[in-house]
Amino acid sequence: MTTAALPAANPAPAPTSTWLVLLCASRFATSLSFMVYAGALGPAMQAWGMSAGEAGSIQAAFNIGYALSLVASSWFADSLGARRVFLWAGWATALTGIAFAFFARSAESGLLLFALVGLTQGGTYAPSIMLVAQGVPADRRGAAVGWLLGAGSLGYFASIALAAGLAERFGYEAAFIACGLGPLLAILLATPGLRGRPNLVAGGTARRLRGAFRFLADRRSFLLTAGYTTHCWELLGMWAWLPAFLTASLAGSGGTGTGDAGMRGLWIAGAIHLSGFLSSLTMGRASDRLGRRTVLMAMGLMGAACSFTIGWMDGLPLLPVLAVAALYGFSALGDSPVLSTAMTEAVEPGSLGAALAVRSILGFGAGGLAPLAVGLVLDHATGGSGWGWGFALLGVGGGLATVCALLLPADRPVRS
């Protein structure tokens, strides 16, 4: 184990294209289990006899567990090293993914096991960002983080496409098994790529605590943390319920042009997550060229507009609904790599893990409750207005994220 303070950009001992590509491939495979419940939500609700509120509580349990693992892994990544924590969390996620795939067969077991998947899977997220921050120079870091998160979005696409198609054709059990084995593939991919990477360890506890709570005194760090919190509210709520909304819309339009269940899954997943994949790739790089603040303002405003619009489009023709859904997926995820990259620049490297821990518990704590909030709106709304008001509730988060971006200090593009 190498003991050293984390540098702003530590050169990789192996070619960047090797370890970074394998890390992104691992992120893709891990994400196969992230959206499996959302993709198979309709058949699972029917098989388990759940209300919308009960269904939302399972996704909320996953999100809360994910938030807790984000906090723990981020904090310990400073003192134990990001590489070590990432590998530990990867193997734990493989085990819980297998357990969920083969044993989640009721509302009760689904809630418990999906919560455990979240409780382990979140441990791979922040350490992977820290590995990129350690190994990629600042002038290319936004693009590199964008590739990492873009690989996750591509995994979300595959997850929903497989889950939606398999659940409708063969039952939710087939969907759970196909996607639940993804984390095992992920750790098998990541281990060879990280074998030559240093396991960098930060300074003492006092230093980490100062970095963790720097946002209380620093304007930029505070606004980035607040923007991330409201961003998570909108994004996690959208991820949980937009597949079900699109499934209902496709059914209402007769599924014209969408083919069988597998093709409908592809349409839904493509609208949400291929657009998110594209935004992760392009917006991270755009923030390198245009500045972080500019991109955050644009994505926040666009996401809020989509939240306040799409829920009222139920019953409209297929093409405009899918078009807005694609724009929604693009904008809601487009600020993710920018927020993460900006945080690596706003906090001293030796305290980055601790700062990400504080950010994670606020962001995923709020986002973890969003699916439940939308589910309760759907249960109690009258006159067919549930989708409209449910997504509008998520739009409040997008609006507040836009305000946080507007209040950020002006920044300039990063130069080599």
Side-chain angles (χ1 to χ4, degrees):
M1 181 176 66
T2 300
T3 302
L6 300 180
N10 186 62
T16 299
S17 58
T18 301
W19 71 267
L20 187 56
V21 166
L22 287 174
L23 187 64
C24 291
S26 172
R27 189 72 201 156
F28 166 84
T30 298
S31 300
L32 288 175
S33 67
F34 192 98
M35 299 298 300
V36 60
Y37 176 72
L41 181 57
M45 284 182 67
Q46 183 176 6
W48 295 349
M50 297 185 296
S51 68
E54 290 171 329
S57 69
I58 293 179
Q59 185 65 54
F62 171 90
N63 291 344
I64 293 171
Y66 195 90
L68 293 175
S69 64
L70 277 174
V71 173
S73 63
S74 300
W75 179 263
F76 287 112
D78 281 335
S79 58
L80 299 176
R83 175 182 174 274
R84 176 177 292 178
V85 172
F86 176 86
L87 292 174
W88 286 353
W91 283 110
T93 305
L95 293 176
T96 57
I98 292 172
F100 177 78
F102 290 98
F103 300 111
R105 296 297 181 266
S106 67
E108 294 77 14
S109 63
L111 188 148
L112 174 62
L113 293 173
F114 205 44
L116 288 176
V117 172
L119 193 60
T120 54
Q121 188 174 120
T124 65
Y125 179 77
S128 66
I129 292 176
M130 294 175 67
L131 288 168
V132 172
Q134 294 166 19
V136 179
D139 61 304
R140 299 200 306 271
R141 193 175 300 158
V145 174
W147 275 100
L148 181 71
L149 300 189
S153 294
L154 198 60
Y156 302 151
F157 163 75
S159 179
I160 285 190
L162 284 171
L166 290 174
E168 289 193 37
R169 179 172 292 181
F170 301 109
Y172 73 89
E173 299 92 342
F176 285 3
I177 293 172
C179 297
L181 296 176
L184 178 61
L185 174 62
I187 193 60
L188 295 177
L189 287 169
T191 301
L194 295 179
R195 187 170 292 128
R197 298 291 303 163
N199 187 59
L200 300 175
V201 178
T205 302
R207 183 184 179 189
R208 298 200 306 275
L209 283 171
R210 286 197 302 270
F213 292 99
R214 183 182 173 186
F215 71 89
L216 293 174
D218 180 80
R219 174 185 173 188
R220 188 181 182 206
S221 299
F222 175 83
L223 289 171
L224 286 171
T225 302
Y228 181 81
T229 302
T230 55
H231 150 82
C232 285
W233 169 269
E234 183 178 47
L235 179 65
L236 297 183
M238 182 271 283
W239 273 349
W241 283 108
L242 189 56
F245 170 77
L246 292 179
T247 298
S249 295
L250 290 176
S253 66
T256 305
T258 62
D260 60 13
M263 287 304 298
R264 286 198 295 273
L266 287 173
W267 278 96
I268 294 170
I272 302 171
H273 293 297
L274 283 186
S275 59
F277 168 70
L278 179 62
S279 70
S280 292
L281 297 187
T282 57
M283 293 302 100
R285 184 56 178 162
S287 72
D288 287 339
R289 294 177 176 271
L290 304 175
R292 316 301 186 202
R293 179 174 177 263
T294 299
V295 176
L296 288 175
M297 287 191 299
M299 293 297 99
L301 184 61
M302 190 184 302
C306 291
S307 290
F308 284 110
T309 301
I310 194 165
W312 304 105
M313 299 181 69
D314 190 22
L316 292 184
L318 173 65
L319 287 181
V321 174
L322 287 177
V324 174
L327 189 62
Y328 199 3
F330 184 96
S331 55
L333 192 63
D335 50 358
S336 291
V338 187
L339 285 165
S340 295
T341 304
M343 185 61 76
T344 69
E345 299 163 347
V347 179
E348 59 185 51
S351 301
L352 179 58
L356 290 175
V358 174
R359 184 186 82 152
S360 296
I361 196 168
L362 294 173
F364 277 79
L369 297 176
L372 176 59
V374 175
L376 292 175
V377 170
L378 292 173
D379 282 341
H380 293 92
T382 58
S385 62
W387 289 118
W389 290 118
F391 282 107
L393 184 62
L394 300 179
V396 174
L400 291 175
T402 305
V403 172
C404 291
L406 285 169
L407 295 176
L408 280 171
D411 60 344
R412 296 180 179 180
V414 181
R415 302 297 182 186
S416 299

